[in-house]
Amino acid sequence: MLNTTARPDVNLRAAKELERKRLKSRLKRNASLYLLVAPVIIWFIVFSYIPMTGIVMAFKDYAPARGIFGSPFVGLKHFEMFFGSYYFGRLLRNTLTLSISYMVTSFPAAILFALLINEIGNLTFKKTVQTITYMPHFISMVVLCGMVREFIAPNGIVNDLIAAFGGERADLLSVPSAFPPIYVLSGLWQQMGWNSIIYLAALQGVDQELYESAYLDGAGKLRQTISITIPCIMPTIVIMFILGLGGIMNVGYEKIILLYNPTIYETADIISSFVYRKGLFDMQYSFSTAVGLFNSLTTCVLVITANTITRKLDSSMGLW
């Protein structure tokens, strides 16, 4: 009598062969899509993943003549130096102060602005307001910081307003306590309109019949906003909030280094600008890499924690 039971290795080979045929079929069928996404994948590999090998520098005393892998291994030496230095507390405080202050003001401002824009009935006026508020986002950071310097100069418009209300003119970029408001308000002016775009897109997906039903029940605009609009765009708000938390430690150093000076390091110097100075000017490559790695790991932990808490509160929300 013949044995009808197939051997496991035969079944495994047949399954692998079938999977290869399916893979070839998918590649052939979606070849144009794969070609379309290939440049993006190559860009990330070349400029994001390959440079990650440089993280090894954080654990070595890097010497250009020896290269990354030829330099002596020193373990956590650079991390201990950073955590034990005078700068650690100041940098962490300034980074969190500037980032949280900006997030607390810009995050609700973008949502509120989007809600207000959405209520404008005149299409021409609506587009005009949107264009005016989007424009600062496209201004070069160098030009924008130059404009900020002109605005807050001793003879600038800001000091004119201060003098009009009985105050004294001053070089505000030499006053440590003035830097956080300057940073936050200039960022709000630059990004509020642009940040509202995603909320405006989310508002377009709200079912208009809900508003009609609420209107028939006697709900006014404020009640409709609280009971319909906000809950409908809440998933978008949550995702943007998580992404915002991920950026708390990554305050843009470009604007900082274009505005600050040694007299206001006490409130203006942040982790990113510190890495920039130590790495490029003092040529302490390993030390600056260690500081940057600490910053990146902290950011990663913040994103994962925020997403986990969000998923615990509502499983339908979150980044993943």
Side-chain angles (χ1 to χ4, degrees), residues 136-260:
H137 172 80
F138 298 99
I139 298 176
S140 164
M141 185 61 72
V142 176
V143 175
L144 184 133
C145 289
M147 295 172 65
V148 171
R149 285 181 175 275
E150 290 296 324
F151 291 158
I152 62 179
N155 59 345
I157 186 173
V158 174
N159 271 290
D160 288 343
L161 292 174
I162 293 175
F165 285 96
E168 295 183 1
R169 294 179 180 273
D171 183 4
L172 296 178
L173 282 180
S174 297
V175 181
S177 60
F179 186 80
I182 291 172
Y183 178 87
V184 171
L185 293 176
S186 62
L188 190 64
W189 166 61
Q190 182 186 15
Q191 299 292 351
M192 184 180 69
W194 181 257
N195 291 340
S196 68
I197 291 178
I198 193 167
Y199 299 111
L200 286 169
L203 288 170
Q204 302 308 309
V206 179
D207 189 353
Q208 296 301 309
E209 292 183 0
L210 296 175
Y211 293 115
E212 295 174 4
S213 299
Y215 177 76
L216 293 175
D217 289 339
K221 286 292 184 181
L222 181 60
R223 174 51 59 186
Q224 292 177 27
T225 300
I226 296 174
S227 301
I228 298 175
T229 307
I230 298 297
C232 285
I233 66 172
M234 186 56 68
T236 302
I237 294 175
V238 170
I239 290 174
M240 296 304 295
F241 181 73
I242 294 174
L243 293 175
L245 282 179
I248 279 183
M249 298 296 290
N250 292 325
V251 182
Y253 72 93
E254 296 93 345
K255 187 162 74 171
I256 298 291
I257 63 176
L258 288 169
L259 289 178
Y260 78 166

Side-chain angles (χ1 to χ4, degrees), residues 234-235 238-239 242 306-308 310-311 314-320:
M234 186 56 68
V238 170
I239 290 174
I242 294 174
N307 188 74
T308 302
T310 302
R311 297 286 293 179
D314 190 340
S315 59
S316 64
M317 298 184 183
L319 290 175
W320 64 86

Side-chain angles (χ1 to χ4, degrees), residues 44-289:
F44 273 103
I45 291 174
V46 173
F47 295 103
S48 295
Y49 289 99
I50 293 178
M52 286 177 67
T53 57
I55 291 174
V56 178
M57 290 172 58
F59 307 96
K60 296 195 170 191
D61 267 334
Y62 173 70
R66 295 185 177 185
I68 296 177
F69 298 101
S71 299
F73 182 79
V74 295
L76 301 177
K77 170 188 171 182
H78 301 296
F79 294 93
E80 293 172 354
M81 287 175 55
F82 178 57
F83 296 148
S85 70
Y86 160 78
Y87 299 104
F88 176 70
R90 187 183 77 179
L91 294 172
L92 189 61
R93 183 194 69 227
N94 292 345
T95 301
L96 292 176
T97 298
L98 293 177
S99 187
I100 293 175
S101 298
Y102 176 70
M103 188 173 180
V104 167
T105 54
S106 66
F107 188 77
I111 299 172
L112 180 60
F113 184 71
L115 293 174
L116 293 174
I117 288 291
N118 193 55
E119 293 298 324
I120 297 177
N122 189 311
L123 188 60
T124 302
F125 180 68
K126 181 177 182 179
K127 289 184 176 180
T128 302
V129 172
Q130 287 179 295
T131 300
I132 293 173
T133 54
Y134 295 168
M135 284 176 63
H137 172 80
F138 298 99
I139 298 176
S140 164
M141 185 61 72
V142 176
V143 175
L144 184 133
C145 289
M147 295 172 65
V148 171
R149 285 181 175 275
E150 290 296 324
F151 291 158
I152 62 179
N155 59 345
I157 186 173
V158 174
N159 271 290
D160 288 343
L161 292 174
I162 293 175
F165 285 96
E168 295 183 1
R169 294 179 180 273
D171 183 4
L172 296 178
L173 282 180
S174 297
V175 181
S177 60
F179 186 80
I182 291 172
Y183 178 87
V184 171
L185 293 176
S186 62
L188 190 64
W189 166 61
Q190 182 186 15
Q191 299 292 351
M192 184 180 69
W194 181 257
N195 291 340
S196 68
I197 291 178
I198 193 167
Y199 299 111
L200 286 169
L203 288 170
Q204 302 308 309
V206 179
D207 189 353
Q208 296 301 309
E209 292 183 0
L210 296 175
Y211 293 115
E212 295 174 4
S213 299
Y215 177 76
L216 293 175
D217 289 339
K221 286 292 184 181
L222 181 60
R223 174 51 59 186
Q224 292 177 27
T225 300
I226 296 174
S227 301
I228 298 175
T229 307
I230 298 297
C232 285
I233 66 172
M234 186 56 68
T236 302
I237 294 175
V238 170
I239 290 174
M240 296 304 295
F241 181 73
I242 294 174
L243 293 175
L245 282 179
I248 279 183
M249 298 296 290
N250 292 325
V251 182
Y253 72 93
E254 296 93 345
K255 187 162 74 171
I256 298 291
I257 63 176
L258 288 169
L259 289 178
Y260 78 166
N261 57 74
T263 61
I264 57 173
Y265 277 175
E266 187 61 32
T267 58
D269 198 19
I270 60 172
I271 293 177
S272 297
S273 60
F274 182 74
V275 170
Y276 171 82
R277 287 203 317 278
K278 289 297 179 181
L280 294 183
F281 291 101
D282 297 344
M283 292 185 290
Q284 298 181 22
Y285 303 115
S286 294
F287 181 73
S288 60
T289 301

Side-chain angles (χ1 to χ4, degrees), residues 1-21:
M1 188 173 63
L2 295 174
N3 183 9
T4 57
T5 304
R7 290 182 301 172
D9 57 338
V10 174
N11 288 335
L12 182 60
R13 284 198 300 270
K16 288 183 176 179
E17 183 63 28
L18 180 60
E19 184 61 30
R20 279 195 293 268
K21 289 181 179 179

